[in-house]
Amino acid sequence: MLRTDLPEIITETLPGPKAQAIIDRRAQAVPNAIRCAYPVVIERGEGAMIEDVDGNKFLDWIGGVGVLNIGFSQPEVVEAVKAQADKYFHGMFNVVTHEGYVALAEKLSGIAPVKGDSKKAFFANSGAEADENAVKVAKAYTKRPNIIVFSGAFHGRTHFTMAMTSKKAYAKDMGPLAAGVFRAQFPYYYRNPEGMPEDKAVDYYIKSIYDVFEQCAAADTIAAIVVEPLQGEGGFIPAPIEWVKAVRKICDENGILLIADEVQSGFCRTGRMFASVYWQETGVEPDIIATAKSIAAGVPLSAIIARTEVMDAVPAGTIGGTYCGNPLACAASLKTIEIMERDHLAERSCEIGKKVTERYLEMQKKYPVIGDVRGLGGMIGIEFVKDQETKEPDAAFTSDLIQTCAKKGLLVEGAGTYNNVIRFLAPLVMTDEQLAAGLDIFEASIKECLKH
């Protein structure tokens, strides 16, 4: 059964002949800007495994870029979507109320660690839409025009979220970008300025927020500060709790809302239902959470959750949309969350993360190309450098490693400001045997790339 199989490449080359034919068709039919570096055309997926059209089997450590925390084709979610489809596919929520939307809003309001006792939630279709809507909510509540985001941030590719996103390769030729978005420095401790004492790091990064107030936009014009609890595209960098506490204090002192972008880090990925539960455990909570990815096991859906007084400040007609909170997606999400809680996937995330981190740290001692290992739970980054002392990023090695892993049946994906990080986003339902096989392939691939 594919769900418990191990990686196996049976064609002489990758892509195989059937996959190559479809990839050739893709090149003729789809814009070149929507790139794909992987030699895989999926035929079916189960758990953490993909079988391609030629019969090759791949272990997927990308998980649809964090979408498949409960794996491909979870049978109970499939049945929940089928049951909903038998009733109706769509009911625009501004026209007809459907209970799935209400039930999911209730559930998320109950489990999301946002500030306040009474909470509300609403839905969009993608992570970028969730982030943009979270900012709209913050602006409506504070009546302020500006926001602060951070170096390394990724928040999406809509016109507004392109301005929020740090790496401007995602906004090439798309200017002018939206106004009112200002950037401070995210605490990337591995790359602190040379010679900086560790105990000065928080002050250094917090000062960059005050620099925004001084040089760009006064504090009383800032509606929100938007933080990824663990940066995704930026290189899988966790936000240090001591820094989060300082950011929360700045927000409280200046009437600014704190938005947690949990698009990638939510739904058990980091060892908690939301990564900001770690904040809550130390007495800090965001005002708004924007989340998506694994919320509905692959059916397009995203959510925005905040306390009632914040949500109800939004003018009628400024949020919502035709497909937002689609009934099929809500059915998938309700079942997904039920499975996550019942099967203790947050705890499983911690177990997987511990094994991966231990193995990565062992590799770091053996291979000088590994500069840093970091993460939370089952959301782990491994950073590759040309030299452990100089920390010079090695994007070429990282790119080579991705392709070498794929040829051996393991799919991994890059990230990072310098394109030199491999992210671990494997489905949390992966078996222990699959995890061990994947780690062996990963290490063998590092050895092979070092020979190159």
Side-chain angles (χ1 to χ4, degrees):
M1 186 170 69
L2 182 60
R3 194 173 300 278
T4 55
D5 283 347
L6 296 177
E8 182 183 15
I9 304 301
I10 63 172
T11 55
E12 291 184 7
T13 60
L14 286 176
K18 293 179 181 178
Q20 187 63 63
I22 295 171
I23 290 170
D24 290 344
R25 287 166 54 198
R26 170 185 174 139
Q28 297 301 313
V30 179
N32 292 340
I34 303 174
R35 296 177 296 177
C36 178
Y38 298 91
V40 182
V41 176
I42 187 171
E43 175 71 12
R44 63 193 182 107
E46 293 180 6
M49 296 297 298
I50 289 172
E51 183 175 357
D52 78 357
V53 290
D54 293 289
N56 296 304
K57 296 175 183 177
F58 298 86
L59 176 60
D60 180 11
W61 277 8
I62 304 171
V65 193
V67 170
L68 299 168
N69 287 358
I70 66 165
F72 288 93
S73 309
Q74 212 289 340
E76 292 175 79
V77 176
V78 172
E79 289 306 312
V81 173
K82 284 181 177 178
Q84 177 57 54
D86 283 340
K87 298 177 184 177
Y88 51 92
F89 273 43
H90 178 68
M92 207 278 195
F93 202 65
N94 292 75
V95 178
V96 293
T97 298
H98 64 90
E99 188 180 4
Y101 190 119
V102 177
L104 184 57
E106 291 170 337
K107 181 62 179 178
L108 289 174
S109 295
I111 63 176
V114 293
K115 197 174 182 181
D117 296 323
S118 175
K119 303 165 190 176
K120 290 187 174 183
F122 72 101
F123 303 107
N125 303 294
S126 69
E129 288 180 63
D131 287 339
E132 189 157 337
N133 274 281
V135 170
K136 287 162 68 175
V137 170
K139 288 182 176 182
Y141 178 74
T142 62
K143 307 295 189 289
R144 297 176 178 183
N146 301 315
I147 64 168
I148 294 176
V149 293
F150 292 93
S151 58
F154 183 89
H155 299 292
R157 278 176 279 225
T158 62
H159 183 255
F160 188 75
T161 56
M162 278 194 299
M164 296 173 67
T165 292
S166 178
K167 187 184 286 188
K168 288 302 175 265
Y170 291 111
K172 182 176 172 57
D173 298 331
M174 294 295 147
L177 298 178
V181 178
F182 302 100
R183 197 170 308 280
Q185 291 296 307
F186 190 83
Y188 191 174
Y189 282 3
Y190 177 65
R191 295 193 176 276
N192 281 346
E194 189 174 351
M196 174 180 289
E198 195 170 308
D199 61 351
K200 300 293 184 185
V202 171
D203 291 342
Y204 170 81
Y205 291 106
I206 287 297
K207 182 181 180 298
S208 72
I209 297 175
Y210 286 105
D211 288 344
V212 171
F213 296 159
E214 173 64 28
Q215 301 167 17
C216 304
D220 63 4
T221 71
I222 303 295
I225 295 178
V226 187
V227 175
E228 293 167 273
L230 194 156
Q231 283 197 337
E233 294 286 333
F236 275 40
I237 308 167
I241 289 295
E242 64 270 21
W243 176 82
V244 174
K245 288 181 176 179
V247 174
R248 177 75 264 183
K249 187 170 183 286
I250 290 172
C251 289
D252 292 341
E253 290 173 348
N254 293 282
I256 299 168
L257 296 187
L258 178 58
I259 297 174
D261 175 350
E262 294 244 31
V263 169
Q264 194 166 149
S265 61
F267 297 97
C268 300
R269 171 51 50 191
T270 66
R272 301 289 188 271
M273 183 61 76
F274 295 98
S276 46
V277 171
Y278 288 108
W279 300 3
Q280 187 183 50
E281 290 170 353
T282 62
V284 176
E285 295 169 313
D287 296 290
I288 304 173
I289 287 177
T291 191
K293 297 272 187 197
S294 275
I295 187 172
V299 184
L301 184 69
S302 61
I304 305 91
I305 311 113
R307 64 184 179 274
T308 297
E309 66 171 314
V310 172
M311 285 296 201
D312 286 348
V314 182
T318 60
I319 56 176
T322 301
Y323 295 107
C324 297
N326 169 270
L328 300 175
C330 289
S333 183
L334 284 164
K335 182 57 70 172
T336 295
I337 296 169
E338 176 190 323
I339 292 166
M340 287 177 170
E341 293 180 331
R342 182 196 71 204
D343 295 350
H344 307 289
L345 287 193
E347 290 91 332
R348 177 60 176 161
S349 177
C350 289
E351 291 173 5
I352 290 173
K354 185 173 184 289
K355 290 179 181 179
V356 172
T357 300
E358 287 175 353
R359 184 72 177 271
Y360 280 2
L361 291 173
E362 289 174 9
M363 294 180 203
Q364 187 181 27
K365 294 175 184 176
K366 292 190 278 186
Y367 311 115
V369 75
I370 298 173
D372 194 33
V373 176
R374 55 186 177 251
L376 288 173
M379 188 172 180
I380 303 158
I382 181 169
E383 181 164 352
F384 293 93
V385 294
K386 294 180 179 179
D387 182 273
Q388 288 180 338
E389 291 299 317
T390 66
K391 303 181 183 179
E392 182 182 352
D394 200 338
F397 180 91
T398 308
S399 178
D400 189 17
L401 180 59
I402 291 168
Q403 293 303 313
T404 303
C405 285
K407 290 173 185 175
K408 297 177 185 295
L410 176 67
L411 301 182
V412 297
E413 187 181 32
T417 299
Y418 310 104
N419 300 311
N420 69 321
V421 177
I422 298 289
R423 53 178 127 190
F424 182 86
L425 276 173
L428 303 174
V429 296
M430 179 175 47
T431 69
D432 289 339
E433 292 76 18
Q434 289 167 343
L435 177 58
L439 287 167
D440 288 345
I441 291 172
F442 192 71
E443 183 164 6
S445 298
I446 290 175
K447 289 179 182 178
E448 185 173 322
C449 291
L450 285 170
K451 291 177 183 176
H452 295 174

